[in-house]
Amino acid sequence: MTEALRAHGTVGLAVIGCGTVGRIRAVLAREYPGIGWLGLCDVDEPTLKTIADDVRADFATTDLSELLARPEVGAIIVATDERVHVEPILRSVELGVPMFIEKPLATDPVDSARVLEAIEDAGVDAVVGYTQRFRRRFQTVKQRLRDGQIGDVTTVITRAFMNRMVPEATLRKVDDTTGLTPMVVSGTHSLDMCMWLMEGRTPVEVYARSTDRTLGPIGTKDGTSGIFTMDDGVVFSMNINWALPTVWPGAVYGLEIGIVGTRGVIDVEDTHRDVILASEIGQPAGYNSRGFAPPTPRHVDFIGSYPPGDVSNGMLWGPMREETTTWFARICRGIETPHATAADGHANLINTMAMDLSARTGQPISLPISPDELIAGLTP
């Protein structure tokens, strides 16, 4: 970081990947007074130019090396497509600056382990984007569990529903859909939430089943249901289906979590059915990605069901703002934050892929399992 930035108590930020989420983070960076310099990189020149103009970027390039060579870079966001995280992460680790990485670290568990090792060996403060940790209700639930207000947890039940916009938009961008399953791409959010709420416990076995009658033709599963057994006997049921109709009112994510303890229960409904809009006018898709347009209009919407939040008067409000600005405070002021660590991100990938392996083999999978075992078992 340059002396001029240090003198002003600000940080120079590089954003690698300027699609939907990279754009959101860059806009929030420009609003934050602690970010004194903003550099962008994207392989798509029209996308890069548009966002560079919109956020008044200090520097923009299609060349990753050119961006990382800038002396102003004091922190990095990696927001490229899921399958191309590894190179920008490993290149960025060499700078030794704090990093925010969109999940996952990698879609290949061996690559994920390699990335984690590089991060830890370099001593880099790297966090992974699990936005739902920053919903106020989950922060409150976490504190109630810390305070022991339901006694010892015995059972956790999770159900996630998504319409099929995410798999249709995600898979159409790639030629190889291997590993892009509902658990790895999206179920990881609800799994991370529950593992975070059950902090201190370690899964020792998982048993799962999947179905693919709707989305099989595009190379993925409709949904996966599984049961984790934790090292202290807690049972965690994890279920996701991302094949709901495109017209389903939930823009992306509807989540229910039940946590039963020896002296009480916490029942969380995060389905966003408390504010419903119905209109003759087609509603925004919620999920936007390059070149993706929903095949049919949506006339009913659960407001607030788009995970990043909602736009009002040109500004995004919701958990992604909280997550991003809290990370800015972390790197600018050194405060402790509830972000998922790189180790959390790697563990989430391993656990979601273990569910996929169990569903494929029809057998329970003992945990932990090595990345090589996962690859061997999941490779056609």
Side-chain angles (χ1 to χ4, degrees), residues 153-159 183 187 190-196 198 203 205-207 225-230 233-239 256-258 351 355:
V153 173
T154 63
T155 307
V156 178
I157 299 173
T158 303
R159 188 219 74 180
M183 275 308 308
S190 43
L191 182 139
D192 173 76
M193 176 56 61
C194 291
M195 292 298 182
W196 179 57
M198 294 188 290
E205 184 184 82
V206 64
Y207 180 69
S225 298
I227 297 177
F228 285 90
T229 303
M230 310 303 282
V234 169
V235 175
F236 165 35
S237 170
M238 169 69 231
N239 311 285
E256 293 182 357
I257 300 177
N351 289 330
M355 286 186 71

PDB file of all heavy atoms in Angstrom, residues 153-159 183 187 190-196 198 203 205-207 225-230 233-239 256-258 351 355:
ATOM      1  N   VAL A 153     -27.810 -28.412  22.668  1.00  0.00           N
ATOM      2  CA  VAL A 153     -28.448 -28.722  21.393  1.00  0.00           C
ATOM      3  C   VAL A 153     -28.421 -30.231  21.152  1.00  0.00           C
ATOM      4  O   VAL A 153     -27.401 -30.900  21.364  1.00  0.00           O
ATOM      5  CB  VAL A 153     -27.739 -27.985  20.242  1.00  0.00           C
ATOM      6  CG1 VAL A 153     -28.287 -28.437  18.889  1.00  0.00           C
ATOM      7  CG2 VAL A 153     -27.900 -26.474  20.402  1.00  0.00           C
ATOM      8  N   THR A 154     -29.562 -30.775  20.694  1.00  0.00           N
ATOM      9  CA  THR A 154     -29.644 -32.207  20.387  1.00  0.00           C
ATOM     10  C   THR A 154     -29.927 -32.471  18.905  1.00  0.00           C
ATOM     11  O   THR A 154     -29.460 -33.457  18.349  1.00  0.00           O
ATOM     12  CB  THR A 154     -30.747 -32.881  21.215  1.00  0.00           C
ATOM     13  OG1 THR A 154     -32.024 -32.306  20.853  1.00  0.00           O
ATOM     14  CG2 THR A 154     -30.514 -32.684  22.710  1.00  0.00           C
ATOM     15  N   THR A 155     -30.703 -31.569  18.263  1.00  0.00           N
ATOM     16  CA  THR A 155     -31.148 -31.805  16.895  1.00  0.00           C
ATOM     17  C   THR A 155     -31.217 -30.482  16.132  1.00  0.00           C
ATOM     18  O   THR A 155     -31.671 -29.476  16.675  1.00  0.00           O
ATOM     19  CB  THR A 155     -32.557 -32.448  16.878  1.00  0.00           C
ATOM     20  OG1 THR A 155     -32.555 -33.600  17.705  1.00  0.00           O
ATOM     21  CG2 THR A 155     -32.958 -32.829  15.455  1.00  0.00           C
ATOM     22  N   VAL A 156     -30.779 -30.504  14.871  1.00  0.00           N
ATOM     23  CA  VAL A 156     -30.909 -29.338  13.996  1.00  0.00           C
ATOM     24  C   VAL A 156     -31.518 -29.816  12.679  1.00  0.00           C
ATOM     25  O   VAL A 156     -31.054 -30.792  12.087  1.00  0.00           O
ATOM     26  CB  VAL A 156     -29.543 -28.668  13.729  1.00  0.00           C
ATOM     27  CG1 VAL A 156     -29.710 -27.482  12.774  1.00  0.00           C
ATOM     28  CG2 VAL A 156     -28.900 -28.207  15.035  1.00  0.00           C
ATOM     29  N   ILE A 157     -32.572 -29.125  12.222  1.00  0.00           N
ATOM     30  CA  ILE A 157     -33.254 -29.484  10.986  1.00  0.00           C
ATOM     31  C   ILE A 157     -33.275 -28.260  10.071  1.00  0.00           C
ATOM     32  O   ILE A 157     -33.683 -27.174  10.486  1.00  0.00           O
ATOM     33  CB  ILE A 157     -34.695 -29.958  11.257  1.00  0.00           C
ATOM     34  CG1 ILE A 157     -34.673 -31.204  12.154  1.00  0.00           C
ATOM     35  CG2 ILE A 157     -35.429 -30.256   9.942  1.00  0.00           C
ATOM     36  CD1 ILE A 157     -36.045 -31.646  12.625  1.00  0.00           C
ATOM     37  N   THR A 158     -32.833 -28.441   8.831  1.00  0.00           N
ATOM     38  CA  THR A 158     -32.727 -27.327   7.886  1.00  0.00           C
ATOM     39  C   THR A 158     -33.390 -27.688   6.570  1.00  0.00           C
ATOM     40  O   THR A 158     -33.206 -28.800   6.059  1.00  0.00           O
ATOM     41  CB  THR A 158     -31.240 -26.995   7.612  1.00  0.00           C
ATOM     42  OG1 THR A 158     -30.590 -26.699   8.832  1.00  0.00           O
ATOM     43  CG2 THR A 158     -31.122 -25.793   6.694  1.00  0.00           C
ATOM     44  N   ARG A 159     -34.157 -26.729   6.025  1.00  0.00           N
ATOM     45  CA  ARG A 159     -34.767 -26.918   4.715  1.00  0.00           C
ATOM     46  C   ARG A 159     -34.580 -25.655   3.895  1.00  0.00           C
ATOM     47  O   ARG A 159     -34.949 -24.562   4.334  1.00  0.00           O
ATOM     48  CB  ARG A 159     -36.259 -27.193   4.851  1.00  0.00           C
ATOM     49  CG  ARG A 159     -36.932 -27.584   3.534  1.00  0.00           C
ATOM     50  CD  ARG A 159     -38.307 -26.971   3.396  1.00  0.00           C
ATOM     51  NE  ARG A 159     -38.228 -25.543   3.106  1.00  0.00           N
ATOM     52  CZ  ARG A 159     -39.295 -24.764   2.943  1.00  0.00           C
ATOM     53  NH1 ARG A 159     -40.501 -25.265   3.115  1.00  0.00           N
ATOM     54  NH2 ARG A 159     -39.157 -23.480   2.654  1.00  0.00           N
ATOM     55  N   MET A 183     -25.961 -28.822  -3.472  1.00  0.00           N
ATOM     56  CA  MET A 183     -25.265 -28.688  -2.191  1.00  0.00           C
ATOM     57  C   MET A 183     -24.011 -27.833  -2.319  1.00  0.00           C
ATOM     58  O   MET A 183     -23.778 -26.928  -1.519  1.00  0.00           O
ATOM     59  CB  MET A 183     -24.884 -30.069  -1.645  1.00  0.00           C
ATOM     60  CG  MET A 183     -25.984 -30.744  -0.851  1.00  0.00           C
ATOM     61  SD  MET A 183     -26.688 -29.740   0.479  1.00  0.00           S
ATOM     62  CE  MET A 183     -25.231 -29.226   1.375  1.00  0.00           C
ATOM     63  N   GLY A 187     -26.528 -25.067  -1.333  1.00  0.00           N
ATOM     64  CA  GLY A 187     -26.768 -25.644  -0.019  1.00  0.00           C
ATOM     65  C   GLY A 187     -25.667 -25.312   0.966  1.00  0.00           C
ATOM     66  O   GLY A 187     -25.862 -25.339   2.181  1.00  0.00           O
ATOM     67  N   SER A 190     -26.705 -22.714   3.700  1.00  0.00           N
ATOM     68  CA  SER A 190     -27.444 -23.163   4.873  1.00  0.00           C
ATOM     69  C   SER A 190     -26.617 -24.130   5.703  1.00  0.00           C
ATOM     70  O   SER A 190     -26.728 -24.162   6.941  1.00  0.00           O
ATOM     71  CB  SER A 190     -28.783 -23.784   4.472  1.00  0.00           C
ATOM     72  OG  SER A 190     -28.661 -24.621   3.367  1.00  0.00           O
ATOM     73  N   LEU A 191     -25.758 -24.915   5.063  1.00  0.00           N
ATOM     74  CA  LEU A 191     -24.861 -25.783   5.828  1.00  0.00           C
ATOM     75  C   LEU A 191     -23.893 -24.944   6.663  1.00  0.00           C
ATOM     76  O   LEU A 191     -23.685 -25.211   7.849  1.00  0.00           O
ATOM     77  CB  LEU A 191     -24.092 -26.712   4.890  1.00  0.00           C
ATOM     78  CG  LEU A 191     -23.165 -27.705   5.594  1.00  0.00           C
ATOM     79  CD1 LEU A 191     -23.242 -29.072   4.917  1.00  0.00           C
ATOM     80  CD2 LEU A 191     -21.707 -27.250   5.584  1.00  0.00           C
ATOM     81  N   ASP A 192     -23.308 -23.906   6.042  1.00  0.00           N
ATOM     82  CA  ASP A 192     -22.408 -23.026   6.790  1.00  0.00           C
ATOM     83  C   ASP A 192     -23.121 -22.404   7.983  1.00  0.00           C
ATOM     84  O   ASP A 192     -22.559 -22.320   9.084  1.00  0.00           O
ATOM     85  CB  ASP A 192     -21.864 -21.921   5.893  1.00  0.00           C
ATOM     86  CG  ASP A 192     -21.064 -20.893   6.682  1.00  0.00           C
ATOM     87  OD1 ASP A 192     -19.904 -21.208   7.061  1.00  0.00           O
ATOM     88  OD2 ASP A 192     -21.585 -19.783   6.953  1.00  0.00           O
ATOM     89  N   MET A 193     -24.371 -21.950   7.758  1.00  0.00           N
ATOM     90  CA  MET A 193     -25.119 -21.323   8.843  1.00  0.00           C
ATOM     91  C   MET A 193     -25.252 -22.269  10.026  1.00  0.00           C
ATOM     92  O   MET A 193     -24.998 -21.908  11.183  1.00  0.00           O
ATOM     93  CB  MET A 193     -26.504 -20.911   8.332  1.00  0.00           C
ATOM     94  CG  MET A 193     -27.429 -20.324   9.395  1.00  0.00           C
ATOM     95  SD  MET A 193     -26.694 -18.902  10.220  1.00  0.00           S
ATOM     96  CE  MET A 193     -26.483 -17.824   8.814  1.00  0.00           C
ATOM     97  N   CYS A 194     -25.641 -23.527   9.755  1.00  0.00           N
ATOM     98  CA  CYS A 194     -25.865 -24.466  10.850  1.00  0.00           C
ATOM     99  C   CYS A 194     -24.560 -24.895  11.510  1.00  0.00           C
ATOM    100  O   CYS A 194     -24.499 -25.050  12.728  1.00  0.00           O
ATOM    101  CB  CYS A 194     -26.661 -25.666  10.346  1.00  0.00           C
ATOM    102  SG  CYS A 194     -28.360 -25.235   9.920  1.00  0.00           S
ATOM    103  N   MET A 195     -23.500 -25.101  10.708  1.00  0.00           N
ATOM    104  CA  MET A 195     -22.205 -25.439  11.301  1.00  0.00           C
ATOM    105  C   MET A 195     -21.705 -24.295  12.176  1.00  0.00           C
ATOM    106  O   MET A 195     -21.089 -24.513  13.231  1.00  0.00           O
ATOM    107  CB  MET A 195     -21.186 -25.761  10.205  1.00  0.00           C
ATOM    108  CG  MET A 195     -21.470 -27.037   9.434  1.00  0.00           C
ATOM    109  SD  MET A 195     -21.431 -28.523  10.482  1.00  0.00           S
ATOM    110  CE  MET A 195     -21.724 -29.795   9.247  1.00  0.00           C
ATOM    111  N   TRP A 196     -21.966 -23.052  11.762  1.00  0.00           N
ATOM    112  CA  TRP A 196     -21.577 -21.888  12.551  1.00  0.00           C
ATOM    113  C   TRP A 196     -22.391 -21.826  13.844  1.00  0.00           C
ATOM    114  O   TRP A 196     -21.843 -21.571  14.928  1.00  0.00           O
ATOM    115  CB  TRP A 196     -21.796 -20.634  11.712  1.00  0.00           C
ATOM    116  CG  TRP A 196     -21.457 -19.337  12.380  1.00  0.00           C
ATOM    117  CD1 TRP A 196     -20.263 -18.967  12.931  1.00  0.00           C
ATOM    118  CD2 TRP A 196     -22.327 -18.215  12.540  1.00  0.00           C
ATOM    119  NE1 TRP A 196     -20.336 -17.687  13.424  1.00  0.00           N
ATOM    120  CE2 TRP A 196     -21.593 -17.197  13.189  1.00  0.00           C
ATOM    121  CE3 TRP A 196     -23.648 -17.966  12.181  1.00  0.00           C
ATOM    122  CZ2 TRP A 196     -22.153 -15.956  13.508  1.00  0.00           C
ATOM    123  CZ3 TRP A 196     -24.197 -16.734  12.484  1.00  0.00           C
ATOM    124  CH2 TRP A 196     -23.456 -15.752  13.147  1.00  0.00           C
ATOM    125  N   MET A 198     -23.645 -24.338  15.341  1.00  0.00           N
ATOM    126  CA  MET A 198     -23.221 -25.482  16.159  1.00  0.00           C
ATOM    127  C   MET A 198     -21.719 -25.448  16.428  1.00  0.00           C
ATOM    128  O   MET A 198     -21.102 -26.491  16.668  1.00  0.00           O
ATOM    129  CB  MET A 198     -23.581 -26.796  15.464  1.00  0.00           C
ATOM    130  CG  MET A 198     -25.060 -27.063  15.333  1.00  0.00           C
ATOM    131  SD  MET A 198     -25.397 -28.738  14.706  1.00  0.00           S
ATOM    132  CE  MET A 198     -24.832 -28.600  13.018  1.00  0.00           C
ATOM    133  N   PRO A 203     -18.602 -32.849  12.386  1.00  0.00           N
ATOM    134  CA  PRO A 203     -19.347 -33.964  11.795  1.00  0.00           C
ATOM    135  C   PRO A 203     -18.465 -35.206  11.663  1.00  0.00           C
ATOM    136  O   PRO A 203     -17.300 -35.117  11.281  1.00  0.00           O
ATOM    137  CB  PRO A 203     -19.760 -33.429  10.421  1.00  0.00           C
ATOM    138  CG  PRO A 203     -18.769 -32.358  10.103  1.00  0.00           C
ATOM    139  CD  PRO A 203     -18.379 -31.755  11.419  1.00  0.00           C
ATOM    140  N   GLU A 205     -20.092 -38.290  10.386  1.00  0.00           N
ATOM    141  CA  GLU A 205     -20.698 -39.145   9.364  1.00  0.00           C
ATOM    142  C   GLU A 205     -21.817 -38.392   8.668  1.00  0.00           C
ATOM    143  O   GLU A 205     -22.473 -37.531   9.254  1.00  0.00           O
ATOM    144  CB  GLU A 205     -21.279 -40.414   9.995  1.00  0.00           C
ATOM    145  CG  GLU A 205     -21.849 -41.407   8.977  1.00  0.00           C
ATOM    146  CD  GLU A 205     -22.512 -42.598   9.640  1.00  0.00           C
ATOM    147  OE1 GLU A 205     -23.693 -42.484  10.045  1.00  0.00           O
ATOM    148  OE2 GLU A 205     -21.858 -43.654   9.753  1.00  0.00           O
ATOM    149  N   VAL A 206     -22.034 -38.723   7.378  1.00  0.00           N
ATOM    150  CA  VAL A 206     -23.170 -38.172   6.654  1.00  0.00           C
ATOM    151  C   VAL A 206     -23.772 -39.249   5.772  1.00  0.00           C
ATOM    152  O   VAL A 206     -23.054 -40.085   5.211  1.00  0.00           O
ATOM    153  CB  VAL A 206     -22.761 -36.934   5.814  1.00  0.00           C
ATOM    154  CG1 VAL A 206     -21.762 -37.303   4.721  1.00  0.00           C
ATOM    155  CG2 VAL A 206     -23.992 -36.270   5.211  1.00  0.00           C
ATOM    156  N   TYR A 207     -25.097 -39.224   5.667  1.00  0.00           N
ATOM    157  CA  TYR A 207     -25.834 -40.151   4.805  1.00  0.00           C
ATOM    158  C   TYR A 207     -26.830 -39.328   4.002  1.00  0.00           C
ATOM    159  O   TYR A 207     -27.597 -38.542   4.578  1.00  0.00           O
ATOM    160  CB  TYR A 207     -26.558 -41.199   5.641  1.00  0.00           C
ATOM    161  CG  TYR A 207     -27.337 -42.204   4.828  1.00  0.00           C
ATOM    162  CD1 TYR A 207     -26.687 -43.146   4.044  1.00  0.00           C
ATOM    163  CD2 TYR A 207     -28.734 -42.218   4.861  1.00  0.00           C
ATOM    164  CE1 TYR A 207     -27.396 -44.077   3.308  1.00  0.00           C
ATOM    165  CE2 TYR A 207     -29.454 -43.149   4.122  1.00  0.00           C
ATOM    166  CZ  TYR A 207     -28.774 -44.074   3.351  1.00  0.00           C
ATOM    167  OH  TYR A 207     -29.475 -44.995   2.611  1.00  0.00           O
ATOM    168  N   SER A 225     -30.992 -34.492   0.169  1.00  0.00           N
ATOM    169  CA  SER A 225     -31.363 -34.550   1.580  1.00  0.00           C
ATOM    170  C   SER A 225     -30.378 -35.459   2.303  1.00  0.00           C
ATOM    171  O   SER A 225     -30.021 -36.522   1.781  1.00  0.00           O
ATOM    172  CB  SER A 225     -32.782 -35.092   1.759  1.00  0.00           C
ATOM    173  OG  SER A 225     -33.725 -34.248   1.128  1.00  0.00           O
ATOM    174  N   GLY A 226     -29.940 -35.031   3.463  1.00  0.00           N
ATOM    175  CA  GLY A 226     -28.967 -35.839   4.187  1.00  0.00           C
ATOM    176  C   GLY A 226     -29.014 -35.618   5.683  1.00  0.00           C
ATOM    177  O   GLY A 226     -29.640 -34.663   6.171  1.00  0.00           O
ATOM    178  N   ILE A 227     -28.366 -36.509   6.400  1.00  0.00           N
ATOM    179  CA  ILE A 227     -28.273 -36.413   7.861  1.00  0.00           C
ATOM    180  C   ILE A 227     -26.816 -36.509   8.268  1.00  0.00           C
ATOM    181  O   ILE A 227     -26.114 -37.471   7.930  1.00  0.00           O
ATOM    182  CB  ILE A 227     -29.081 -37.529   8.554  1.00  0.00           C
ATOM    183  CG1 ILE A 227     -30.576 -37.388   8.225  1.00  0.00           C
ATOM    184  CG2 ILE A 227     -28.877 -37.482  10.060  1.00  0.00           C
ATOM    185  CD1 ILE A 227     -31.438 -38.483   8.814  1.00  0.00           C
ATOM    186  N   PHE A 228     -26.347 -35.490   8.983  1.00  0.00           N
ATOM    187  CA  PHE A 228     -25.024 -35.504   9.584  1.00  0.00           C
ATOM    188  C   PHE A 228     -25.133 -35.954  11.039  1.00  0.00           C
ATOM    189  O   PHE A 228     -26.071 -35.558  11.745  1.00  0.00           O
ATOM    190  CB  PHE A 228     -24.400 -34.103   9.585  1.00  0.00           C
ATOM    191  CG  PHE A 228     -23.902 -33.630   8.250  1.00  0.00           C
ATOM    192  CD1 PHE A 228     -24.728 -32.926   7.393  1.00  0.00           C
ATOM    193  CD2 PHE A 228     -22.590 -33.873   7.856  1.00  0.00           C
ATOM    194  CE1 PHE A 228     -24.272 -32.467   6.165  1.00  0.00           C
ATOM    195  CE2 PHE A 228     -22.117 -33.432   6.635  1.00  0.00           C
ATOM    196  CZ  PHE A 228     -22.961 -32.729   5.778  1.00  0.00           C
ATOM    197  N   THR A 229     -24.185 -36.748  11.469  1.00  0.00           N
ATOM    198  CA  THR A 229     -24.031 -37.058  12.886  1.00  0.00           C
ATOM    199  C   THR A 229     -22.785 -36.341  13.379  1.00  0.00           C
ATOM    200  O   THR A 229     -21.715 -36.460  12.766  1.00  0.00           O
ATOM    201  CB  THR A 229     -23.891 -38.569  13.118  1.00  0.00           C
ATOM    202  OG1 THR A 229     -25.032 -39.238  12.574  1.00  0.00           O
ATOM    203  CG2 THR A 229     -23.773 -38.882  14.610  1.00  0.00           C
ATOM    204  N   MET A 230     -22.925 -35.574  14.465  1.00  0.00           N
ATOM    205  CA  MET A 230     -21.814 -34.799  15.000  1.00  0.00           C
ATOM    206  C   MET A 230     -21.073 -35.608  16.064  1.00  0.00           C
ATOM    207  O   MET A 230     -21.577 -36.628  16.570  1.00  0.00           O
ATOM    208  CB  MET A 230     -22.315 -33.481  15.575  1.00  0.00           C
ATOM    209  CG  MET A 230     -23.228 -32.688  14.636  1.00  0.00           C
ATOM    210  SD  MET A 230     -22.498 -32.299  13.036  1.00  0.00           S
ATOM    211  CE  MET A 230     -21.437 -30.925  13.498  1.00  0.00           C
ATOM    212  N   GLY A 233     -22.955 -36.482  19.181  1.00  0.00           N
ATOM    213  CA  GLY A 233     -24.243 -37.149  19.044  1.00  0.00           C
ATOM    214  C   GLY A 233     -25.354 -36.289  18.492  1.00  0.00           C
ATOM    215  O   GLY A 233     -26.454 -36.794  18.217  1.00  0.00           O
ATOM    216  N   VAL A 234     -25.129 -34.985  18.323  1.00  0.00           N
ATOM    217  CA  VAL A 234     -26.138 -34.117  17.716  1.00  0.00           C
ATOM    218  C   VAL A 234     -26.431 -34.596  16.297  1.00  0.00           C
ATOM    219  O   VAL A 234     -25.516 -34.954  15.550  1.00  0.00           O
ATOM    220  CB  VAL A 234     -25.667 -32.644  17.697  1.00  0.00           C
ATOM    221  CG1 VAL A 234     -26.593 -31.786  16.834  1.00  0.00           C
ATOM    222  CG2 VAL A 234     -25.628 -32.090  19.115  1.00  0.00           C
ATOM    223  N   VAL A 235     -27.713 -34.593  15.917  1.00  0.00           N
ATOM    224  CA  VAL A 235     -28.127 -34.991  14.578  1.00  0.00           C
ATOM    225  C   VAL A 235     -28.549 -33.738  13.813  1.00  0.00           C
ATOM    226  O   VAL A 235     -29.356 -32.942  14.302  1.00  0.00           O
ATOM    227  CB  VAL A 235     -29.295 -35.991  14.631  1.00  0.00           C
ATOM    228  CG1 VAL A 235     -29.805 -36.296  13.226  1.00  0.00           C
ATOM    229  CG2 VAL A 235     -28.857 -37.276  15.319  1.00  0.00           C
ATOM    230  N   PHE A 236     -27.985 -33.568  12.615  1.00  0.00           N
ATOM    231  CA  PHE A 236     -28.237 -32.392  11.783  1.00  0.00           C
ATOM    232  C   PHE A 236     -28.794 -32.847  10.445  1.00  0.00           C
ATOM    233  O   PHE A 236     -28.114 -33.509   9.671  1.00  0.00           O
ATOM    234  CB  PHE A 236     -26.929 -31.607  11.616  1.00  0.00           C
ATOM    235  CG  PHE A 236     -26.911 -30.569  10.526  1.00  0.00           C
ATOM    236  CD1 PHE A 236     -28.040 -29.827  10.213  1.00  0.00           C
ATOM    237  CD2 PHE A 236     -25.740 -30.327   9.808  1.00  0.00           C
ATOM    238  CE1 PHE A 236     -28.011 -28.869   9.213  1.00  0.00           C
ATOM    239  CE2 PHE A 236     -25.697 -29.371   8.807  1.00  0.00           C
ATOM    240  CZ  PHE A 236     -26.841 -28.643   8.498  1.00  0.00           C
ATOM    241  N   SER A 237     -30.062 -32.512  10.179  1.00  0.00           N
ATOM    242  CA  SER A 237     -30.713 -32.846   8.920  1.00  0.00           C
ATOM    243  C   SER A 237     -30.598 -31.666   7.974  1.00  0.00           C
ATOM    244  O   SER A 237     -31.035 -30.557   8.292  1.00  0.00           O
ATOM    245  CB  SER A 237     -32.192 -33.177   9.170  1.00  0.00           C
ATOM    246  OG  SER A 237     -32.894 -33.289   7.951  1.00  0.00           O
ATOM    247  N   MET A 238     -30.000 -31.891   6.778  1.00  0.00           N
ATOM    248  CA  MET A 238     -29.734 -30.820   5.819  1.00  0.00           C
ATOM    249  C   MET A 238     -30.432 -31.166   4.506  1.00  0.00           C
ATOM    250  O   MET A 238     -30.151 -32.209   3.912  1.00  0.00           O
ATOM    251  CB  MET A 238     -28.219 -30.685   5.624  1.00  0.00           C
ATOM    252  CG  MET A 238     -27.772 -29.806   4.478  1.00  0.00           C
ATOM    253  SD  MET A 238     -28.106 -28.071   4.736  1.00  0.00           S
ATOM    254  CE  MET A 238     -28.952 -27.687   3.210  1.00  0.00           C
ATOM    255  N   ASN A 239     -31.357 -30.303   4.071  1.00  0.00           N
ATOM    256  CA  ASN A 239     -32.145 -30.589   2.883  1.00  0.00           C
ATOM    257  C   ASN A 239     -32.225 -29.354   2.000  1.00  0.00           C
ATOM    258  O   ASN A 239     -32.501 -28.253   2.480  1.00  0.00           O
ATOM    259  CB  ASN A 239     -33.563 -31.013   3.280  1.00  0.00           C
ATOM    260  CG  ASN A 239     -33.571 -32.076   4.352  1.00  0.00           C
ATOM    261  OD1 ASN A 239     -33.283 -33.223   4.071  1.00  0.00           O
ATOM    262  ND2 ASN A 239     -33.866 -31.690   5.589  1.00  0.00           N
ATOM    263  N   GLU A 256     -35.558 -22.535   6.317  1.00  0.00           N
ATOM    264  CA  GLU A 256     -36.141 -22.816   7.635  1.00  0.00           C
ATOM    265  C   GLU A 256     -35.129 -23.608   8.448  1.00  0.00           C
ATOM    266  O   GLU A 256     -34.512 -24.548   7.945  1.00  0.00           O
ATOM    267  CB  GLU A 256     -37.445 -23.605   7.498  1.00  0.00           C
ATOM    268  CG  GLU A 256     -38.572 -22.814   6.841  1.00  0.00           C
ATOM    269  CD  GLU A 256     -39.858 -23.606   6.759  1.00  0.00           C
ATOM    270  OE1 GLU A 256     -39.860 -24.792   7.164  1.00  0.00           O
ATOM    271  OE2 GLU A 256     -40.863 -23.049   6.284  1.00  0.00           O
ATOM    272  N   ILE A 257     -34.959 -23.223   9.705  1.00  0.00           N
ATOM    273  CA  ILE A 257     -34.034 -23.923  10.605  1.00  0.00           C
ATOM    274  C   ILE A 257     -34.723 -24.151  11.940  1.00  0.00           C
ATOM    275  O   ILE A 257     -35.267 -23.209  12.532  1.00  0.00           O
ATOM    276  CB  ILE A 257     -32.732 -23.113  10.831  1.00  0.00           C
ATOM    277  CG1 ILE A 257     -31.995 -22.882   9.518  1.00  0.00           C
ATOM    278  CG2 ILE A 257     -31.818 -23.845  11.827  1.00  0.00           C
ATOM    279  CD1 ILE A 257     -30.740 -22.026   9.671  1.00  0.00           C
ATOM    280  N   GLY A 258     -34.709 -25.375  12.401  1.00  0.00           N
ATOM    281  CA  GLY A 258     -35.204 -25.708  13.729  1.00  0.00           C
ATOM    282  C   GLY A 258     -34.073 -26.255  14.574  1.00  0.00           C
ATOM    283  O   GLY A 258     -33.377 -27.188  14.152  1.00  0.00           O
ATOM    284  N   ASN A 351     -17.751 -31.050   3.194  1.00  0.00           N
ATOM    285  CA  ASN A 351     -18.983 -31.626   3.741  1.00  0.00           C
ATOM    286  C   ASN A 351     -20.093 -31.693   2.697  1.00  0.00           C
ATOM    287  O   ASN A 351     -20.852 -32.668   2.653  1.00  0.00           O
ATOM    288  CB  ASN A 351     -19.443 -30.831   4.961  1.00  0.00           C
ATOM    289  CG  ASN A 351     -18.532 -31.035   6.164  1.00  0.00           C
ATOM    290  OD1 ASN A 351     -17.928 -32.092   6.315  1.00  0.00           O
ATOM    291  ND2 ASN A 351     -18.420 -30.025   7.006  1.00  0.00           N
ATOM    292  N   MET A 355     -21.793 -35.178   1.073  1.00  0.00           N
ATOM    293  CA  MET A 355     -23.211 -35.473   0.875  1.00  0.00           C
ATOM    294  C   MET A 355     -23.456 -36.001  -0.534  1.00  0.00           C
ATOM    295  O   MET A 355     -24.182 -36.985  -0.733  1.00  0.00           O
ATOM    296  CB  MET A 355     -24.055 -34.217   1.115  1.00  0.00           C
ATOM    297  CG  MET A 355     -24.211 -33.819   2.565  1.00  0.00           C
ATOM    298  SD  MET A 355     -25.357 -32.422   2.770  1.00  0.00           S
ATOM    299  CE  MET A 355     -26.935 -33.203   2.402  1.00  0.00           C
TER     300      MET A 355
END
